[in-house]
Amino acid sequence: MIQRPENIYDHYHAHVYFGPATVAQARTLCEQAGRLFDLTVGRVHEREVGPHPHWSCQLAFDSTQFDRVIPWLEKERHGLNVFVHGVTGDDLADHTTHASWLGQPAALKLEMFRR
């Protein structure tokens, strides 16, 4: 079963995953989220970065924004997968036990956190 996002941390990242055919869709989604919710929008990475196995764009927000941002992302993602995790300072836990999904999960490249 896919773990759904819950509002239990102070801060969050949502990583919108996309590929060459959906980069424009992802860029629009992230820009709209930034405008609507006044959250921090990271760069649109047209390559894999960090532990992410797909191209991605990071949205950063806090628990006061969570209950508006997550339902909106679920409704507006139109097939894009979104990796959501708490930001606690423990990168490995944030990307595993503090992680959830909108859409289909993907295997992250966690080796970088186990060094």
Side-chain angles (χ1 to χ4, degrees):
M1 182 161 69
I2 298 171
Q3 184 173 331
R4 306 300 297 168
E6 294 181 79
N7 192 358
I8 55 178
Y9 304 104
D10 291 334
H11 299 279
Y12 294 88
H13 288 164
H15 300 272
V16 177
Y17 287 170
F18 57 92
T22 54
V23 65
Q25 176 189 353
R27 188 180 304 276
T28 298
L29 179 71
C30 292
E31 289 170 356
Q32 286 177 339
R35 280 193 309 273
L36 287 172
F37 303 107
D38 193 32
L39 51 77
T40 303
V41 178
R43 292 189 320 198
V44 175
H45 294 283
E46 294 185 38
R47 62 183 177 88
E48 295 177 17
V49 295
H52 306 289
H54 302 286
W55 297 2
S56 63
C57 180
Q58 176 181 285
L59 304 174
F61 53 98
D62 65 28
S63 61
T64 65
Q65 298 165 300
F66 184 97
D67 292 329
R68 292 179 299 131
V69 171
I70 294 300
W72 183 87
L73 280 173
E74 178 64 49
K75 180 178 179 247
E76 299 298 326
R77 67 186 181 84
H78 300 294
L80 295 174
N81 296 311
V82 182
F83 173 61
V84 180
H85 67 83
V87 178
T88 67
D90 181 338
D91 288 333
L92 181 58
D94 288 348
H95 290 80
T96 55
T97 57
H98 305 161
S100 56
W101 293 88
L102 302 174
Q104 293 302 308
L108 300 178
K109 297 182 273 185
L110 300 172
E111 307 81 41
M112 65 186 294
F113 301 132
R114 294 187 172 123
R115 294 181 188 156

